[in-house]
Amino acid sequence: MALWSGRFSEATDSLVSRFSESISFDRRLYPFDIQGSKAHARMLARQNIISQADADVIVAGLDGILADIEAGRFDFCEELEDIHMNIEARLTERIGQAGARLHTGRSRNDQVATDERLYLRHETDACDEALRALQRTLVDLGMAWPNVIMPGFTHLQHAQPVLFAHHLLAYVEMFGRDRERLADGRRRINRLPLGAGAIAGSTLPLDREFVAAELGFEEILRNSMDAVGDRDALIEFLSCLAIIAMHISRLAEDIVLWFSQEFAFIELGDAFTTGSSLMPQKKNPDVAELARGKTGRVYGHLMALLTTMKGLPLTYNRDMQEDKEGLFDAVDTVQLTLATMTAMLATLKPRQERMAAAASDPALMATDLAEWLVRRGTPFREAHHQVGRFVGFCAEHGLALNQATLEQMQQSIPSATAECLELFDAQRSVEARNLLGGTAPGQVARQLAFWQQRLQ
Ligand code: ARG
């Protein structure tokens, strides 16, 4: 029998039970539901709304239920709809009359909003930790291979030589901002809905400050209608996950490219690659591909919730129950992806000679030549033009840039000297980019040290 059955004379149709239940998925909120209920019961006793003895029995009963659920001894029941009523009904079964006092001054509307915020806070911290582990693995990789040079790409075309560690650190920065976003969102998550009741507050003298302190909420939601009617804490968190997934996906794409025969820039451990059922020679980067592929469903969950919320009149509507499955799946997906990618990256080895060979193409140093001219007074546009002419000349004559003689170079670049011929060296090129944020070994070493210290 539903806990709200008083005004009904017919039982709920079984189709409706199946259609409206959420216990099959919101059961995972149980630790947060129990945590919230314990705080609520203690507050009710402090305010003399229920007796201290009842509160004690309620708290002990809830602890017993927590233990039962954790031990797999709890039968979740579809007729009881959701996690809130499953736990409350079981509580009253266990402790009798006192259990029927728990829901005083509370609605499932402020209860579910509270559970979700406790859950979001918990998962925010878990995602933060997973991102930190990923950053550390990237920094460790950079530290293990600090001098490896590879071509940097724009438009997936060779651009300029960079340190492999510099490339990795770009991702460390992205994941660092993802963590900043999570931390910022956490401030808005960490606000208490309880006390809002179904919509308008309560006639009972509830102490919301006390409940907030008990649950570690830093603030109290000021407007009861907003407290039960909004889901932007979820949406913001899903946005953070979507951005994280996008960053992982780009890293995954780099891995897929680097692992291809054409690049052959890296090796990956056997435990993190897979074979083909048909082609015996295959070793595929499936982990990276799946990481890239799973991004779609994370975006999808964000879009789904935005769409669910967009037309809802204030305040709570049952539509909002649809907020959970996508959220849970996004959390599971992102956390498993982070853990698997991190473990895979720990097996990554750069193939230095392949990277160095690709980076030694003298065309990658064309900018160095233009900037050499700038340092000697040529306006950049003019320098760019002269070097461009030289590149064109070499292409026409089938020469690499470092195969032309000084005289040939001077036809396009009148002020070139013998020193220019020495610029076509990737090591020299990398070392020359010695400014804050640049790829020079000293700069990169400083960035690695910065992150290593920060990630401790
Ligand atoms: N299972 C519901 C949900 O997730 C809990 C809130 C139900 N409130 C209500 N008035 N039916 O949204």
Side-chain angles (χ1 to χ4, degrees), residues 4 20-23 25-26 29 80-85 107-113 116 198 231 316-324:
W4 39 253
S20 62
E21 66 85 22
S22 55
I23 189 60
F25 49 88
D26 71 8
L29 294 175
L80 291 167
E81 277 185 38
D82 56 26
I83 186 63
H84 324 297
M85 294 200 292
S107 156
R108 277 186 293 153
N109 297 352
D110 56 350
Q111 186 178 359
V112 70
E116 287 184 328
R231 287 293 179 269
Y316 179 83
N317 300 267
R318 191 64 178 270
D319 314 46
M320 286 154 70
Q321 180 169 293
E322 290 290 314
D323 63 354
K324 292 176 195 61

